[in-house]
Amino acid sequence: MGELLGAIGLAWPRLLLYPGGLFAVVAAHLLGAWLRRCAGSPVPAMALPGPATLCHAVGTLALLALLPLAPARSVPFGLDLFMALGLLEWPYLARRASRERVLRAYLPLIVATTALATATGSVELTALLRVPASPQGQALLAGGTALWLLALRRLLTDASGGVADDLRALGLLLVAALPVLGALASLLEAILPGPLAGWLLPPAAMLICALALGGMMRAARGRAC
Amino acid sequence: MVRPRFSCTSAARLVEPYAIPEADRELRREPSARHAGADLLAALALGLALLAGLALAWLVRDAPLAPLRARELLRADALTALILIVAAGHGLADLAHGTGRPRRTATAVVVTGVAAAMDHLGLAGVMLLVAAWLRAARPGPARVWLPGTLPALCTAAGLALTGVVSGEWRFGAPLAGAGLNSASFALLLIGLLLGLDAGALPRRRPPVGDPLVALGCLYGLLRLYSLGPWNLGWLAAAMLLGAAVALWSAWEAAAAPAPAAGPWLALFMGGLALVGAGLGSGAGLTLAGYTLLLRPVVQLGSAPPAPPGRASWLLATAVPLSGPFVAAWMAVAAAVAGGLTLLAAVVWAAALLAALPPLRLARAVPAPGRPNGDLQAVLAAALSLALGAGSPAVVGLLLRPLVAQLQGGLTPFGELELWPWAGLIAYDAARQPVATLPSIALLALMAVLAALCWVALRLGALRRP
């Protein structure tokens, strides 16, 4: 019990500042604006979130606070991909009326997760930060990450643009950013010292994923036109 | 005790093709003083059976009580306790819905519990047969009630064949494992599939399998682990059939009208339990046990015609920390721990599909003048949340002793263990963590976050003119 309370007590910067809390709200707003711009979606009117929105957002905020991102202090309670998707997607699954729509939206995500789990031998989020030793494992990890981002392009089109939607988009994007972060850390291990890498690489990985996702959305919009 | 069931014109029209089986409809009783007395007695007996199961689970948490008196015919272990608890749960759910005959249901539950406590394979089979007959027997020719007893007949034959082959009828005896043979296994597997009414899948009609009979059949299959390890072919057959049943039934559940999807969801849970048995690991057995515990809750909350209501959120496999969600997580974790990522993907897809009917019910607006949900749905939701958020306690008290006592027949490919003051954690054969469910820690964090959000809302309200 003391361990649990101690861990939660020490997790307050994660809950309030980074990667949850203030950082999450600002980054989600910026990401939402960027993705809407790329997809050509209308800008939603500013409104204070209601209780229902916040109820949906609590799970997303908890996931964001527990993401294994440096330089935040590590927490002993890691999540896995199944739990992460559950926390992010449960309010949205109910909106898809038919099984065909559910499978069209989530099957690519499940295939991507299968590739990631095969590459790392685990569905834990922290395992995504480890680059497998074998080339096949690396290829699977890269393929799984690319497929995850591709799946997000379709998945995020149902968002209406509120705070909860933006936080969900950030959560899904940050899951994809974990393997990118692991790959960057592995590539730049000799050049960047540990503490500096902890500060520079997570934003770089997020930026790469956000640009890639935005690019895909822009390309899809171009094809549609 | 028996109250009028929720009825809604549109819901009734929707569920008409999925209507309650004729036999069950006959057994729905009109309220009367005599029936109320019978209901009360049956509820008392079932409540006592549930308490006895819980007490037994506490008594056998370290080692089985074996052999007991009565000429060494009885042997109670964690599997016995689990079966007794689940059987009592099914009986109480039946009673809450007003289906079945209360006295017969209570007797069948007790007989199933005694069968699970039998150290004699032949007698256990006979008791399961008696329980099935009690559930299936109806006035009329044999063709009316014989199909209902066929699953138990297969199970009894499978258990008896094991005893005949080894010449040792007590499963706790050292030489009993010599009786394991493919014919017995096939009979037990067929019995379980018949008990779950998996034949409804190709027929595309809602399954009408009796949950108590299916429980007895699953007991027969799980009891094989007391005799020794299964061979790879058996594991593969059980796993593949379980995954196929889970995916197919979830597919049908997603297409069925939401108020009528309950039987498909129960079959989905049965498929998950079979997957757990087929994984043959500690994690797999934990999954099977947990799914068994959840089936009465699903039966209680989604028996057709299930009314729309917000309580249904907590019966969906997609809503974090609900019982069905934890069952799906266990299935994915056990599959990944066994190195079977493709199986994990299949189970994941099935879980997403199985989530649709409860989610639709939760979002549906009840007809004017109709209640939003009913007492059974609310109770089922509360039980689902208790089983989901309290999954570490369930695993620690009920399922860890089960795995420990059947360890001799299990493979080392996956363990599901307690994560002290956090939740559950799954390990692979190399003892590396592969999946984590920090349910307790997550609940605590979400409570803190919810409090912060509430404060933010209040501050926002104060700033508004």
Side-chain angles (χ1 to χ4, degrees), chain B residues 234-251:
Chain B
W234 302 358
L235 291 175
M239 203 161 50
L240 289 176
L241 280 172
V245 167
L247 185 59
W248 199 346
S249 51
W251 178 258

Side-chain angles (χ1 to χ4, degrees), chain A:
Chain A
M1 186 67 178
E3 192 184 336
L4 172 68
L5 291 176
I8 291 172
L10 288 175
W12 71 264
R14 280 184 163 270
L15 287 176
L16 295 180
L17 299 175
Y18 172 86
L22 197 61
F23 167 81
V25 173
V26 174
H29 179 72
L30 292 175
L31 178 70
W34 161 247
L35 293 182
R36 276 189 290 277
R37 186 186 166 97
C38 292
S41 307
V43 179
M46 283 292 283
L48 276 176
T53 309
L54 286 177
C55 174
H56 290 172
V58 162
T60 311
L61 282 170
L63 164 76
L64 289 167
L66 289 176
L67 280 176
L69 284 172
R73 182 202 292 263
S74 66
V75 280
F77 315 118
L79 296 176
D80 60 27
L81 281 165
F82 189 79
M83 190 74 207
L85 265 184
L87 285 170
L88 289 170
E89 288 301 307
W90 72 269
Y92 298 91
L93 186 64
R95 293 184 194 169
R96 298 175 194 279
S98 70
R99 57 189 179 187
E100 287 78 14
R101 287 184 66 190
V102 166
L103 286 184
R104 206 178 302 134
Y106 291 105
L107 206 54
L109 220 52
I110 293 174
V111 175
T113 308
T114 309
L116 294 173
T118 309
T120 59
S122 163
V123 282
E124 278 199 297
L125 291 179
T126 45
L128 296 178
L129 291 167
R130 293 192 290 268
V131 179
S134 69
Q136 294 92 334
Q138 291 170 6
L140 266 176
L141 193 69
T145 310
L147 190 56
W148 182 282
L149 281 172
L150 270 171
L152 292 194
R153 185 181 61 79
R154 180 175 289 170
L155 201 65
L156 295 177
T157 50
D158 65 351
S160 56
V163 177
D165 291 343
D166 289 350
L167 284 170
R168 168 212 188 197
L170 180 71
L172 288 167
L173 187 92
L174 288 186
V175 171
L178 292 175
V180 177
L181 176 58
L184 285 177
S186 170
L187 279 172
L188 303 174
E189 196 177 7
I191 305 168
L192 281 174
L196 193 60
W199 282 99
L200 291 181
L201 295 186
M206 290 175 214
L207 207 59
I208 288 170
C209 288
L211 289 173
L213 185 58
M216 280 188 271
M217 284 187 160
R218 196 177 280 266
R221 180 183 160 202
R223 274 202 304 276
C225 292

